[in-house]
């Protein structure tokens, strides 16, 4: 069972100052409550479906009440973002792992496929991580299952991130400068293989 693999949240670099200033990554619903400005990279139709998708497990709510993480980098969402005109250099991964989230006590769930799809199942017990199709996470052609999500309820404190991943040295320099300006000490790694060629 893949209990402690890395989890990836992708955001636009313009969102880092707010995340670092607040010392937490907020779910969409929490950003709306706090009137947090952000650079939206999501597909509006998908966002509408996430707003109306109800969670059947505790702590319940809609998908917008959860911070989404992917089980693998180089996701179909990144592909979609690129085809909408965003440069990969502007995209930053906030990286954590299951054990860190679990030990922190923040509520979480995970799915075996894209969370808006009716056939995707939700789980809350880490022993059910075997429901994730792990070999598929390396197969970029299997869209729904490749978009399985690890969902953290409401927010993720900055200390739960193990670091950041970027595409190149220029992006690394930009992120490190933002971290320094916000007095956050986390590593930034260049991970070209997390991005499309």
């Amino acid at each position: 069972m893949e209990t402690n693999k890395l989890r990836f949240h992708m955001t636009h670099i313009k969102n880092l100052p707010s995340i670092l200033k607040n010392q937490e990554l907020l779910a969409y619903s929490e950003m709306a409550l706090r009137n947090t400005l952000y650079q939206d990279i999501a597909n509006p139709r998908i966002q509408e479906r996430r707003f109306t998708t109800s969670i059947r497990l505790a702590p319940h709510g809609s998908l917008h009440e959860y911070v989404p993480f992917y089980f693998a980098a180089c996701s179909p969402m990144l592909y979609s973002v690129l085809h909408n005109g965003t440069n990969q250099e502007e995209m930053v991964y906030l990286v954590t792992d299951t054990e860190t989230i679990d030990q922190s006590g923040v509520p979480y769930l995970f799915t075996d496929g894209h969370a808006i799809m009716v056939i995707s199942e939700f789980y809350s017990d880490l022993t059910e991580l075997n429901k994730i199709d792990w070999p598929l996470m390396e197969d970029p052609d299997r869209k729904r299952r490749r978009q399985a999500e690890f969902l953290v309820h409401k927010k993720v404190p900055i200390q739960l991130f193990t670091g950041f991943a970027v595409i190149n040295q220029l992006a690394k320099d930009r992120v490190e400068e933002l971290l320094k300006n916000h007095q956050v000490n986390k590593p930034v790694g260049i991970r070209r293989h997390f991005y499309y060629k």
Side-chain angles (χ1 to χ4, degrees), residues 29 74 174:
S29 65
C74 206
R174 288 176 69 191

mmCIF file of all heavy atoms in Angstrom, residues 29 74 174:
data_model
loop_
_atom_site.group_PDB
_atom_site.id
_atom_site.type_symbol
_atom_site.label_atom_id
_atom_site.label_comp_id
_atom_site.label_asym_id
_atom_site.label_seq_id
_atom_site.Cartn_x
_atom_site.Cartn_y
_atom_site.Cartn_z
ATOM 1 N N SER A 29 -13.975 27.522 -0.829
ATOM 2 C CA SER A 29 -15.038 28.121 -0.007
ATOM 3 C C SER A 29 -14.474 29.043 1.071
ATOM 4 O O SER A 29 -15.055 30.084 1.383
ATOM 5 C CB SER A 29 -15.906 27.037 0.634
ATOM 6 O OG SER A 29 -15.144 26.264 1.546
ATOM 7 N N CYS A 74 2.226 16.312 -12.943
ATOM 8 C CA CYS A 74 1.997 16.290 -14.388
ATOM 9 C C CYS A 74 0.577 15.794 -14.685
ATOM 10 O O CYS A 74 0.357 14.878 -15.458
ATOM 11 C CB CYS A 74 3.047 15.414 -15.066
ATOM 12 S SG CYS A 74 3.354 15.879 -16.772
ATOM 13 N N ARG A 174 12.228 32.791 -8.131
ATOM 14 C CA ARG A 174 11.040 33.592 -7.799
ATOM 15 C C ARG A 174 10.366 33.071 -6.532
ATOM 16 O O ARG A 174 9.999 33.846 -5.639
ATOM 17 C CB ARG A 174 10.040 33.563 -8.956
ATOM 18 C CG ARG A 174 10.499 34.367 -10.154
ATOM 19 C CD ARG A 174 9.560 34.256 -11.323
ATOM 20 N NE ARG A 174 8.295 34.918 -11.045
ATOM 21 C CZ ARG A 174 7.221 34.797 -11.804
ATOM 22 N NH1 ARG A 174 7.236 34.043 -12.888
ATOM 23 N NH2 ARG A 174 6.097 35.429 -11.484
#
